Amino acid sequence: MAKYDIAVIEGDGIGPEITQSTLSVLRTVCSSDCLNFLTVEGGASHFQKSGEVLPQETFEVCQQSHAILHGAAGLPGVTYPDGTEVGNDLHLKLRFQLDLFANVRPIKLYPGVHSPLNTDDTVAIDYVIIRENTEGLYASRGGGIVLREEVATDTLVVTRKGIERVARFAFDLATKRNGALRDGKRRVTVCDKANILRSYAFFRAVCDEVAKDYSGIEIDYAYADAITVHMIKRPDFYDVIVAENMFGDIISDLGAATVGGMGISPSAELGDFHGLFQGAHGSAPDIAGQNVASPIATILSAALMLRWMGDRHMDNTLNDAARRIEAAVEQVLAKGEIIPRDLGGNATCSEITGAICSAVG
Ligand code: IPM
Ligand code: MN
């Protein structure tokens, strides 16, 4: 009897192949009685067949499992009458209904991976973006107003509870890390537009209140426009960045681009009781089924999943498995022989999977 149930939602586009790749790595690194994979339906292609993007059965399996592993969801052209995409509701419904309030986006430059920020590969990048994941501008998903095809509005909503818990998550994370690469300082940077909008001034004020409980952590501030410059010019200054939902969505893609792209960027979407783990990229339908997608972001997300489960269940075999997966990915990338296309190589999804499974040892 396996110890942990993992809900698996392959989703759309490249989702099935990168999910299967990740399951191969997990089966290699974990003993057969550790993880039980429960594959369930969801996403835009399922909606096209059934009219449901997140079936109730899928939601219940996700709710009852120890963690959720997801490939990718969304297909262009599969939209609601209001023009918004259907597939994204797989993520959004799970985020809101399971209250996954902290979207953890590690931004890390691995040895062997070229950053577009410099030619001599000397730049060091290792920080984490914590994106509030259940309110902000996304609170208006499905609730925006469109009047007479002339006026449209979406409201940005921030709450004291929502800000406090995501800020506390960011400060707790900074406490566990070793500080920014530039100066070793444990630092939380609040990304907002407090200079312009009251909602962001409130976001900053609540972060300031939380900061008082963390005397060893430096608080720093950056406006959402300015931080895009700093993330390019001085990425090693950052340790942990906390941002409202929409800003977090935007700057996390910029951060991913500085360390090789979306194909290498994992994510962990965490609440008090549930965790969803997926690559930060999309479904890339244009390359689906061709065995050319990189599974690395999903594999690294699975490592985040094992570490999160290991901490929650005080099971060091999971933390050890996470470390082995991350070490294997680093080893394959540093070796430079099996490199995914999005990092300048020509390795297939299968070749990358095989190399990581071999390296995981
Ligand atoms: C992300 C994606 C999602 C978002 C979409 C797929 C709903 O862009 O996870 O960053 O907008 O949050
Ligand atoms: Mn995004």
Side-chain angles (χ1 to χ4, degrees):
M1 174 79 169
K3 287 177 72 175
Y4 305 103
D5 288 334
I6 309 295
V8 177
I9 312 175
E10 293 184 336
D12 303 309
I14 61 172
E17 51 205 287
I18 58 178
T19 304
Q20 286 308 315
S21 163
T22 302
L23 296 187
S24 300
V25 174
L26 286 169
R27 290 188 179 107
T28 304
V29 76
C30 295
S31 61
S32 57
D33 65 348
C34 180
L35 303 178
N36 175 38
F37 301 115
L38 303 168
T39 300
V40 286
E41 296 287 355
S45 43
H46 187 73
F47 174 84
Q48 287 179 305
K49 289 181 288 195
S50 70
E52 290 185 306
V53 65
L54 174 64
Q56 183 58 24
E57 183 207 350
T58 294
F59 178 74
E60 287 168 4
V61 169
C62 288
Q63 199 173 31
Q64 292 153 18
S65 293
H66 293 91
I68 306 158
L69 180 68
H70 174 50
L75 290 174
V78 183
T79 56
Y80 292 121
D82 67 6
T84 60
E85 271 204 35
V86 170
N88 294 346
D89 259 344
L90 176 68
H91 305 96
L92 298 174
K93 287 178 184 287
L94 286 170
R95 288 173 183 174
F96 295 149
Q97 293 174 25
L98 297 179
D99 205 20
L100 308 177
F101 66 87
N103 196 326
V104 182
R105 299 269 167 112
I107 306 295
K108 181 175 180 178
L109 184 62
Y110 284 92
V113 176
H114 176 70
S115 166
L117 295 187
N118 70 326
T119 51
D120 59 2
D121 285 346
T122 53
V123 74
I125 302 174
D126 184 351
Y127 58 90
V128 184
I129 295 172
I130 303 301
R131 167 187 173 185
E132 200 293 322
N133 211 33
T134 59
E135 51 184 48
L137 198 47
Y138 280 62
S140 285
R141 162 76 174 190
I145 293 169
V146 178
L147 274 183
R148 299 184 306 280
E149 298 295 306
E150 289 175 56
V151 176
T153 65
D154 282 303
T155 304
L156 190 153
V157 178
V158 286
T159 66
R160 170 172 289 280
K161 174 186 174 183
I163 303 166
E164 264 179 6
R165 63 183 183 174
V166 76
R168 197 163 295 284
F169 186 102
F171 278 93
D172 287 339
L173 176 62
T175 306
K176 296 172 197 157
R177 285 172 53 89
N178 298 316
L181 290 178
R182 171 168 286 207
D183 53 19
K185 283 193 178 168
R186 288 185 166 84
R187 177 178 295 123
V188 171
T189 298
V190 180
C191 169
D192 60 39
K193 278 295 270 187
N195 54 333
I196 305 298
L197 294 176
R198 290 175 183 160
S199 50
Y200 287 119
F202 180 62
F203 184 91
R204 179 175 293 198
V206 175
C207 289
D208 279 335
E209 289 175 28
V210 170
K212 293 185 181 112
D213 293 340
Y214 296 84
S215 56
I217 309 290
E218 178 188 291
I219 188 165
D220 169 58
Y221 309 95
Y223 296 135
D225 47 351
I227 206 168
T228 62
V229 177
H230 302 325
M231 287 166 68
I232 303 295
K233 308 281 277 185
R234 52 169 186 150
D236 59 348
F237 174 80
Y238 293 109
D239 182 18
V240 178
I241 300 172
V242 63
E244 171 270 334
N245 210 334
M246 181 56 84
F247 284 165
D249 178 50
I250 295 166
I251 66 170
S252 55
D253 279 19
L254 173 63
T258 66
V259 295
M262 304 306 289
I264 196 170
S265 294
S267 82
E269 304 189 29
L270 306 178
D272 291 331
F273 306 105
H274 301 281
L276 182 150
F277 302 84
Q278 62 168 332
H281 52 68
S283 58
D286 56 317
I287 60 169
Q290 301 169 33
N291 194 23
V292 296
S294 171
I296 290 180
T298 310
I299 291 167
L300 288 174
S301 302
L304 294 176
M305 177 182 79
L306 293 177
R307 177 164 288 117
W308 177 75
M309 288 168 58
D311 292 345
R312 280 175 71 80
H313 303 283
M314 292 179 280
D315 183 343
N316 276 330
T317 60
L318 297 176
N319 294 79
D320 182 53
R323 272 190 293 276
R324 287 167 58 202
I325 291 176
E326 288 164 349
V329 169
E330 281 205 50
Q331 180 185 317
V332 168
L333 293 172
K335 203 170 177 182
E337 293 166 4
I338 306 286
I339 297 296
R341 287 193 337 170
D342 62 328
L343 297 181
N346 57 13
T348 64
C349 183
S350 311
E351 288 167 334
I352 298 162
T353 308
I356 293 172
C357 286
S358 304
V360 88

Short mmCIF file of all heavy atoms in Angstrom, two decimals, residues 88 91-92 95 105 131 138 249, ligand 1:
data_model
loop_
_atom_site.label_atom_id
_atom_site.label_comp_id
_atom_site.label_asym_id
_atom_site.label_seq_id
_atom_site.Cartn_x
_atom_site.Cartn_y
_atom_site.Cartn_z
N ASN A 88 -7.42 27.75 -18.56
CA ASN A 88 -6.82 28.37 -17.36
C ASN A 88 -7.68 28.15 -16.12
O ASN A 88 -7.18 28.24 -15.01
CB ASN A 88 -6.65 29.88 -17.59
CG ASN A 88 -5.65 30.17 -18.68
OD1 ASN A 88 -4.91 29.27 -19.08
ND2 ASN A 88 -5.61 31.37 -19.16
N HIS A 91 -6.40 25.64 -13.48
CA HIS A 91 -5.51 26.15 -12.42
C HIS A 91 -6.30 27.02 -11.45
O HIS A 91 -6.20 26.90 -10.25
CB HIS A 91 -4.43 27.05 -13.01
CG HIS A 91 -3.62 26.45 -14.08
ND1 HIS A 91 -3.92 26.65 -15.41
CD2 HIS A 91 -2.54 25.67 -14.06
CE1 HIS A 91 -3.02 26.02 -16.14
NE2 HIS A 91 -2.18 25.41 -15.36
N LEU A 92 -7.06 27.96 -12.04
CA LEU A 92 -7.68 28.99 -11.21
C LEU A 92 -8.70 28.40 -10.25
O LEU A 92 -8.75 28.75 -9.08
CB LEU A 92 -8.30 30.08 -12.10
CG LEU A 92 -7.26 30.80 -12.96
CD1 LEU A 92 -7.94 31.77 -13.93
CD2 LEU A 92 -6.23 31.53 -12.12
N ARG A 95 -6.76 26.71 -7.54
CA ARG A 95 -6.12 27.70 -6.66
C ARG A 95 -7.13 28.30 -5.68
O ARG A 95 -6.87 28.38 -4.48
CB ARG A 95 -5.53 28.85 -7.49
CG ARG A 95 -4.30 28.46 -8.27
CD ARG A 95 -3.86 29.59 -9.19
NE ARG A 95 -2.71 29.18 -9.98
CZ ARG A 95 -2.18 29.90 -10.95
NH1 ARG A 95 -2.69 31.10 -11.26
NH2 ARG A 95 -1.13 29.46 -11.62
N ARG A 105 7.85 30.55 -6.99
CA ARG A 105 8.51 30.50 -8.29
C ARG A 105 10.03 30.68 -8.09
O ARG A 105 10.53 31.80 -8.07
CB ARG A 105 7.97 31.60 -9.21
CG ARG A 105 6.46 31.46 -9.48
CD ARG A 105 6.19 30.65 -10.69
NE ARG A 105 4.83 30.23 -10.88
CZ ARG A 105 4.03 30.67 -11.86
NH1 ARG A 105 4.44 31.60 -12.67
NH2 ARG A 105 2.81 30.17 -12.00
N ARG A 131 4.37 34.71 -5.21
CA ARG A 131 3.24 35.39 -5.83
C ARG A 131 1.97 35.07 -5.06
O ARG A 131 1.62 33.87 -4.90
CB ARG A 131 3.14 34.87 -7.27
CG ARG A 131 1.86 35.21 -7.98
CD ARG A 131 1.81 34.50 -9.32
NE ARG A 131 0.50 34.69 -9.94
CZ ARG A 131 0.15 34.09 -11.07
NH1 ARG A 131 1.00 33.27 -11.70
NH2 ARG A 131 -1.04 34.29 -11.59
N TYR A 138 -6.64 38.87 -10.04
CA TYR A 138 -7.28 37.60 -10.41
C TYR A 138 -8.59 37.36 -9.67
O TYR A 138 -9.37 36.49 -10.05
CB TYR A 138 -6.33 36.42 -10.16
CG TYR A 138 -5.29 36.22 -11.24
CD1 TYR A 138 -4.34 37.21 -11.51
CD2 TYR A 138 -5.26 35.07 -12.00
CE1 TYR A 138 -3.39 37.03 -12.50
CE2 TYR A 138 -4.31 34.88 -12.99
CZ TYR A 138 -3.38 35.86 -13.23
OH TYR A 138 -2.45 35.69 -14.21
N ASP A 249 2.67 37.20 -11.50
CA ASP A 249 2.56 36.46 -12.77
C ASP A 249 3.53 37.02 -13.80
O ASP A 249 4.23 36.29 -14.50
CB ASP A 249 1.12 36.55 -13.28
CG ASP A 249 0.94 35.84 -14.61
OD1 ASP A 249 1.35 34.67 -14.72
OD2 ASP A 249 0.45 36.48 -15.56
C1 IPM B 1 0.84 30.99 -14.62
C2 IPM B 1 -0.07 31.04 -15.81
C3 IPM B 1 -1.51 31.06 -15.30
C4 IPM B 1 -1.75 32.42 -14.65
C5 IPM B 1 -2.56 30.79 -16.32
C6 IPM B 1 -2.25 29.51 -17.07
C7 IPM B 1 -3.90 30.65 -15.59
O1 IPM B 1 0.23 32.17 -16.58
O2 IPM B 1 0.65 30.07 -13.80
O3 IPM B 1 1.73 31.85 -14.50
O4 IPM B 1 -2.16 33.37 -15.33
O5 IPM B 1 -1.49 32.49 -13.43
#
